[in-house]
Amino acid sequence: DVVLTDIKMPFMDGLELCRILMERLPASKFVVFSGFDEFEYAKQAIRMNVFEYILKPISAAELGGVLRRLKERLDTERTERQNTEALRRRYEESLPVLRELFYTHLLEGRVPPEQAAERAARLELNVAGDAWAAALGHVDGAADRRELAALSVRQLLEENLTLEGWSCRAFLYGDAAAVLAVSRGGGSVYALIQALDRVCALAESYLGLTLTMGVGAPCGDPGELPQ
């Protein structure tokens, strides 16, 4: 955490030692002692972010004061790092929910088109493409287990909706499952409809659910998805 070094030493001076340690121990704090009251040394020390440049002789009380200030600085930095780390962890844990909200807001027209790419990038998503389409699922006769049916359908879509030319994301939209499909390289909407039709057949076979998917017309801008 802390390196205390003299300036004048055999083989290597203290500032050279600090230069090397800055690369190897970037979080360390340096306290440099010197018997030479030379401004050039002080300037070099400041450039290397030396915490304290002290002229000898130094008393125990003076050194104790320096170490107490160092402890306060280190404690503050450590607390900030821990807080940042905790925030980062909480953000990563919330990413799945934030992504679902983003997709929902996109379908409802609550994301300004010029901000869509930027917001997606913050959520580590890629919504760039040459066309966009939305699909919404409806399960017949599942009123008493609507949420469970929607979760099952979303999982089925995630596992089976892969097709050339389209990147598809399944998510919950209210109490239904929805899909945002992004065309990259001229994906055909008919291929998308056929792939969704296969998932409907799988829902009947695997889950015993009658799934219907409604597919919106492809649009040239994600801002047009709500229409």
Side-chain angles (χ1 to χ4, degrees):
D1 292 314
V2 178
V3 177
L4 310 177
T5 178
D6 206 334
I7 280 276
K8 191 166 185 178
M9 301 185 292
F11 309 115
M12 181 187 295
D13 70 38
L15 294 182
E16 179 62 22
L17 174 66
C18 290
R19 266 192 291 272
I20 293 169
L21 291 178
M22 276 177 68
E23 296 178 5
R24 299 188 185 182
L25 302 170
S28 291
K29 304 291 181 226
F30 305 113
V31 176
V32 175
F33 302 106
S34 175
F36 306 95
D37 188 6
E38 294 185 16
F39 185 59
E40 189 54 40
Y41 275 130
K43 281 199 300 186
Q44 287 184 54
I46 290 166
R47 278 201 301 271
M48 286 188 301
N49 203 27
V50 168
F51 182 80
E52 197 95 27
Y53 180 84
I54 303 171
L55 292 176
K56 293 187 288 188
I58 180 171
S59 69
E62 197 178 348
L63 181 57
V66 169
L67 292 174
R68 277 190 292 275
R69 288 198 300 277
L70 258 171
K71 180 190 180 301
E72 288 173 9
R73 171 76 70 84
L74 287 165
D75 285 348
T76 300
E77 289 180 359
R78 191 160 290 153
T79 300
E80 286 173 355
R81 277 200 303 273
Q82 288 170 349
N83 289 343
T84 302
E85 183 65 19
L87 280 172
R88 186 187 63 78
R89 272 201 312 274
R90 280 200 292 272
Y91 180 74
E92 287 180 352
E93 288 166 3
S94 303
L95 264 180
V97 176
L98 294 172
R99 285 169 177 162
E100 299 243 332
L101 274 175
F102 171 75
Y103 292 137
T104 297
H105 290 168
L106 202 58
L107 291 199
E108 292 177 348
R110 292 161 65 184
V111 179
E114 67 277 6
Q115 294 179 16
E118 180 193 340
R119 290 196 190 180
R122 285 206 300 267
L123 297 170
E124 299 171 18
L125 299 171
N126 180 11
V127 294
D130 45 54
W132 291 261
L136 192 61
H138 173 74
V139 177
D140 288 337
D144 56 335
R145 51 194 178 106
R146 194 170 293 158
E147 293 83 2
L148 184 59
L151 282 167
S152 301
V153 168
R154 183 187 68 172
Q155 186 174 348
L156 199 65
L157 287 162
E158 285 175 349
E159 293 172 353
N160 296 281
L161 193 56
T162 54
L163 66 159
E164 192 175 340
W166 291 92
S167 173
C168 300
R169 296 274 185 170
F171 58 100
L172 292 179
Y173 185 75
D175 55 4
V179 173
L180 174 66
V182 181
S183 168
R184 299 193 180 111
S188 160
V189 69
Y190 300 108
L192 175 62
I193 291 169
Q194 285 177 341
L196 289 168
D197 198 39
R198 284 194 298 273
V199 174
C200 290
L202 288 173
E204 177 102 41
S205 174
Y206 292 172
L207 306 173
L209 297 174
T210 304
L211 173 66
T212 307
M213 296 294 300
V215 186
C219 53
D221 188 282
E224 298 170 11
L225 281 168
Q227 289 132 327

